Amino acid sequence: MKYMQGKYPIIASTTLAREIYDFTVCCPKIARAAEPGQFVTIAADGFPLRRPVSLCGIDKENGTIRLVFEVRGKGTKEISRLREGDMIDIIAPLGRGFRLKDYKTAILVGGGIGTPPMVPLAKIYGENCVAISGFRSAANVILQEDFKASGAKTVLCTDDGTMGRKGFVTAALREEIEIKKPDVIFACGPSPMIKGVVDIANEYGIPSQISLEERMGCGIGACLVCACRTVRNGEEFYAHVCQDGPVFESKDVIF
Amino acid sequence: MADMRVNIAGVEFKNPVITASGTFGYGREYEHFFPLSKLGGISTKGTTAEKRNGNLAPRIAETPSGILNSVGLQNPGIDKFIKVELPNLKSKDTVIIANIAGFSIEEYAKICEKLDGTNVDMIEINISCPNVKHGGAAFGTSCQSAAEVTKAVRASTKKPIIIKLSPNVTDITEIARAVEAEGADAVSLINTLLGMRIDINSRRPILKNNVGGLSGAAVFPVALRMVWQTANAVKIPVIGMGGISTWEDGIEMMLAGASAIQVGAALFKNPFAAVEIIDGMNDYLDRKGIKSVNEIVKKVQPW
Ligand SMILES: Cc1cc2nc3c(=O)[nH]c(=O)nc-3n(C[C@H](O)[C@H](O)[C@H](O)COP(=O)(O)O)c2cc1C
């Protein structure tokens, strides 16, 4: 599918937690083409590079997409100043999303700001998935209502136990697999978490797909900066997160 | 409509705007935004004799008004380029410049020999790679090694040759003169300026390669100065680049002495930067009543 660049109206904006923003953008063509796991790049006034943000919602009927992002630096701070009614400059939809194939049941694992791309998957799988998410502390927890509304079994973990169960998502993942082994595991989050999830998936022989992050340039596969070590045709190949990813089959990724 | 055509080493470009090597791949990605036929030309991703994966990520860092990159010449190798990418590019109705790189004189010569038998329009020789045989200093940082590369590629192809100069030198005009003397048809400049950034929390350089090349708007005044000096030092055409982001920058660069220009990093923020620069330059010429873009080349009036 072709990606496009344009300025689109923000029709709703809220704050989900400290420094975590939630924009709904009206862009019907993009919404129609977008798939779970894909991302957009947002231009930040005064900064030479766009900021990649994964899709937290795709509403094809209403022609909107939902972008949930964290302020990490000056560029995302600048973007966070946009409000309802403002125009946002995006290129979308970008990258390869999750491959749902004929997987009937799934476990979704999201860590911190890796949680938003799990929401569209929960919408699709509904009762046929378990959505596990992990955050540092109660103050960082986001998107739990969205998972519940989708019908997914929703498991919340915090590192310090201030909300949900105390501990890492990997412990919860193991328990859920023991209860019912899913056809596939989808994960997004900090790299130690991803590594932990993939190890468990491999242990149980469950295929897994992971959404990766890397510093990007063009965002469309031309400048080749966002390299990710993979195996392709039996050889080591530096794939590109923006074009070959952000979602990879974890069996192809060299950790 | 002003006449936007320019001619470099006998090759006609429909306008003077070329997309810069390494920022535009082999054209496939940006074609989703606009037809490549709008461009004066395309300088392809730097291609080497064998395929390369390049450096480990992170390979990009943002800087005030610029970016640092340390891709390390990831490319599929010259044979695949000739077989797969070149035929596609040549169907796009724009000038195709094969940008190549080597780690030995023999490698440069070998790639040019292979390209000689193709329908590529021009070859741009990136001499910013380290000379592996001689301690790793870039070929482009000494007159002698720059001249040696030029001599070798000149002997291995009849295609027009553009030598792409590194700005990481004391006097870029000396290098330009040295490659002109060995038969370069044109020079292009500037490649990226070596730079660095450090994460103050981890105390690690942001780039896994520790250092990388600076480009984008931040380097424009340096690039403009070097193009001006070089255009005054050689008789062959100069292709100017480095931080060009707007049509005004393009006009400035041509006034400084560039016969054509390249646009790179600006595309990352605005994928339409190159085509907007073409339109903006054309409007400027019309407003000023200037009939041909060639009339502004090197027309700066220094004090
Ligand atoms: C990501 C990236 C990759 C590049 N790769 C190459 C390359 O392979 N060969 C080359 O000659 N120049 C390469 N360059 C340098 C550009 O072609 C250009 O000389 C430089 O970026 C200055 O122009 P700009 O400021 O418009 O980007 C690269 C630049 C960037 C940003």
Side-chain angles (χ1 to χ4, degrees), chain B residues 57 169 219:
Chain B
V169 294
V219 309

Side-chain angles (χ1 to χ4, degrees), chain A residues 2-3 5 43-44 47-51 214-215 217-218 220-225 227 229 235-238 240 243, chain B residues 22-23 25 29-30 32-33 51 53-60 62-63 66-67 71 74 206 268-269 271-272:
Chain A
K2 281 188 185 171
Y3 36 83
Q5 180 265 340
F47 294 84
L49 291 175
R50 290 170 172 267
R51 274 34 181 187
E214 192 47 75
R215 286 173 187 263
C218 67
I220 58 174
C223 80
L224 311 182
V225 299
R229 295 175 68 201
E235 274 182 57
E236 180 168 353
F237 173 71
Y238 288 14
H240 299 99
Q243 189 179 43
Chain B
T23 64
E29 296 78 18
Y30 282 95
H32 285 311
F33 293 115
K51 66 179 170 196
N53 268 328
N55 297 319
L56 283 171
R59 336 205 257 201
I60 190 166
E62 196 175 50
T63 72
I67 60 167
V71 172
Q74 181 170 17
I206 291 177
F268 300 169
K269 175 85 169 277
F272 295 96

Side-chain angles (χ1 to χ4, degrees), chain B residues 284-299:
Chain B
Y284 166 88
L285 296 173
D286 285 348
R287 273 198 311 280
K288 299 276 180 193
I290 302 168
K291 292 208 170 54
S292 160
V293 69
N294 294 296
E295 291 172 35
I296 66 167
V297 175
K298 219 172 139 189
K299 288 296 156 58

